[in-house]
Amino acid sequence: MTGCCSAGALAVGAKTAAPVLVIWTVVVITYLAFCRPNFRANMREASKPSAPVVTLLVLAGYAALSALWARDPQAAIAAGVTFAGVILVGQLLHWGLKQLTPAVSILVAGWFTIGLIAGGLMLISQFLTDFAIFRWILGTVPNLQPIGNSMVVQQNGQWILTSISIGNWSVAAVSMVMWPGILAVVSVAGTRNRAYLAISLFALVTSIALISDHQTSQFGLLVSLGVFAAAWAAPAFVKHTVAASCMFLIIAVVPLSYAADRVFKLHDASWAQPSLKERFRIWGSVAEHYTKAPIFGIGANNTTNVETSYPVPFEGTSPITTHHPHDMILQIWLELGAVGGALLLVAGYQVFRVVNRVPPAVVPYVLATVVLIAIEAIATWNLWSTWFLSALAITMTFLLLGVRVAEDAGKATSPAFFEIWLPQSFSAWWPDRSKSRSRV
């Protein structure tokens, strides 16, 4: 039920991803401590993280170390500590979910998906009512006012929505967790219902993206659907293509960004939306500023509007405010230099080695998730945003849970979700459920 509430909270308010991640982890570990007799012995496994996790922790440590040369040392230290904290908590949650029995894993995966669907429906209602519930909460709870948020303003004692972009954080979170949710659905549902449920979940998330103005998620869902379909037809080829594309993007993001803006002048392209044109300007300027600190970078979370403006208008007494490049890979190259870029490349290679070991039946879901996350990462968000890092940790953890549940379902080592999803007192609704309960 904690997983169910976590999914719902992630969909309705993605900015709550960090406390959701922590609470879910605490509940899972507490459950194991009280219900699994070999809990302490198995805890040793939690202290042995996988290769990608180790590399990302090194990257987090280097981010904190960049405080030695950053103009804002506190920001660099905070970025590194936050990054490492999210990784460690996510690793602990992943380990905890691995310790669950097959039947309990089915319950967690199924109820997480139910929470995702309920939260998605709530998010649609928010878009259709101009976020009426959110505005009501702002007007009801004392001293609860969004700081520096121009998407809701107070007029004549009432809160007015000025932009539906306020829901874009949730749209991104729901989009990232969609393919793991579909994997869970097809793994825990009965044979006759899995196709309908999977299509319904995809339609729900797609509807959310379409009624929003978050074009990154819209594009990501379209591309990931193509990757998913292609992976069914040629899994090996698509797997290698996605891996090579991601590796190339990590290596070539700086020259590609510079060429897109300064050589091909895509910021003036007639086909580009205004927000995309602004992205091209920012990316070109960031690529140019990268050359000023190419090896070690300018320091984690130290990008300002000086590095991202085009052209740079801030001189003299004009304010210099924090900003970000709207491209996490490019941000690593700017803030952590070639050292950070190399660590990211190693981590990416290690991730695809893990992907190479997953069962063939789940490869399309894994690749579609990776592609969608990559698109979200290279077009919109700040690398050091706690909510995004936490949402990403939840997504990857749920994806790995989905892979485990799919394996269990293939081996017939767990009952179907509908047979155990309610307390036994409701068994009269499904008389044959008692047969499966003996296996739980």
Side-chain angles (χ1 to χ4, degrees):
M1 292 310 298
T2 305
C4 178
C5 295
S6 298
L10 191 67
V12 176
K15 286 296 188 72
T16 64
V20 162
L21 175 64
V22 172
I23 292 172
W24 197 13
T25 302
V26 169
V27 170
V28 170
I29 298 303
T30 302
Y31 165 79
L32 292 174
F34 281 94
C35 299
R36 299 298 297 272
N38 56 347
F39 170 72
R40 291 186 178 181
N42 290 339
M43 273 295 291
R44 297 177 182 177
E45 183 183 347
S47 62
K48 300 177 181 178
S50 62
V53 170
V54 172
T55 303
L56 290 175
L57 286 174
V58 173
L59 180 63
Y62 178 69
L65 182 66
S66 68
L68 295 175
W69 58 86
R71 62 171 162 250
D72 188 350
Q74 292 183 345
I77 294 174
V81 171
T82 299
F83 193 17
V86 171
I87 293 171
L88 291 173
V89 175
Q91 170 73 9
L92 189 58
L93 176 60
H94 168 54
W95 171 83
L97 293 177
K98 281 177 61 179
Q99 307 308 309
L100 302 179
T101 63
V104 177
S105 297
I106 287 286
L107 285 174
V108 173
W111 278 105
F112 186 96
T113 307
I114 290 175
L116 178 64
I117 294 171
L121 293 173
M122 178 67 73
L123 183 57
I124 287 181
S125 71
Q126 287 286 75
F127 275 110
L128 297 179
T129 60
D130 290 338
F131 288 81
I133 297 177
F134 178 62
R135 291 185 288 109
W136 175 80
I137 293 175
L138 289 178
T140 303
V141 181
N143 302 321
L144 182 62
Q145 299 182 0
I147 301 175
N149 192 330
S150 60
M151 298 178 188
V152 284
V153 296
Q154 196 171 25
Q155 296 179 0
N156 300 324
Q158 293 184 338
W159 286 96
I160 306 297
L161 183 73
T162 61
S163 173
I164 63 171
S165 295
I166 197 171
N168 286 354
W169 293 274
S170 293
V171 175
V174 170
S175 299
M176 288 195 300
V177 82
M178 181 194 70
W179 288 111
I182 293 178
L183 175 59
V185 163
V186 300
S187 300
V188 306
T191 305
R192 291 182 297 177
N193 299 322
R194 62 180 57 172
Y196 300 109
L197 292 173
I199 293 173
S200 298
L201 181 54
F202 180 83
L204 173 64
V205 177
T206 302
S207 300
I208 294 172
L210 291 177
I211 65 176
S212 74
D213 65 351
H214 196 229
Q215 297 174 347
T216 301
S217 293
Q218 295 169 1
F219 181 70
L221 288 171
L222 178 62
V223 174
S224 67
L225 178 61
V227 170
F228 178 81
W232 276 111
F237 174 77
V238 176
K239 187 190 306 179
H240 294 146
T241 301
V242 171
S245 300
C246 290
M247 297 298 100
F248 174 77
L249 181 61
I250 293 174
I251 296 172
V253 65
V254 173
L256 287 176
S257 300
Y258 184 87
D261 181 62
R262 305 302 169 87
V263 178
F264 297 104
K265 309 293 182 183
L266 294 185
H267 59 270
D268 290 327
S270 58
W271 50 266
Q273 298 290 333
S275 59
L276 182 57
K277 292 180 179 179
E278 183 62 22
R279 293 286 195 277
F280 285 129
R281 295 178 189 273
I282 291 174
W283 295 337
S285 183
V286 170
E288 186 175 30
H289 277 83
Y290 162 75
T291 59
K292 298 180 180 180
I295 305 300
F296 301 109
I298 64 174
N301 204 21
N302 267 246
T303 304
T304 67
N305 50 17
V306 171
E307 285 84 16
T308 59
S309 59
Y310 175 81
V312 180
F314 302 97
E315 298 178 355
T317 59
S318 298
I320 297 177
T321 58
T322 57
H323 198 37
H324 63 89
H326 295 276
D327 184 328
M328 294 184 179
I329 300 177
L330 190 59
Q331 187 172 4
I332 285 181
W333 282 94
L334 174 66
E335 296 182 352
L336 302 180
V339 175
L343 289 172
L344 179 63
L345 186 65
V346 172
Y349 172 75
Q350 292 169 336
V351 166
F352 280 103
R353 289 195 65 182
V354 174
V355 172
N356 213 29
R357 296 196 295 266
V358 301
V362 303
V363 167
Y365 303 93
V366 174
L367 292 180
T369 303
V370 169
V371 168
L372 209 156
I373 289 174
I375 292 174
E376 292 285 355
I378 65 176
T380 306
W381 310 108
N382 181 5
L383 171 65
W384 312 111
S385 296
T386 306
W387 79 267
F388 186 88
L389 292 174
S390 300
L392 181 57
I394 292 172
T395 298
M396 296 306 297
T397 301
F398 186 47
L399 175 63
L400 293 172
L401 177 64
V403 172
R404 183 260 176 96
V405 168
E407 291 179 326
D408 290 342
K411 299 174 184 177
T413 57
S414 59
F417 176 72
F418 79 91
E419 297 173 335
I420 60 174
W421 72 301
L422 288 176
Q424 194 168 9
S425 57
F426 292 93
S427 59
W429 294 8
W430 291 282
D432 61 338
R433 291 170 73 227
S434 57
K435 300 178 182 179
S436 297
R437 283 196 170 274
S438 61
R439 293 183 289 170
V440 177

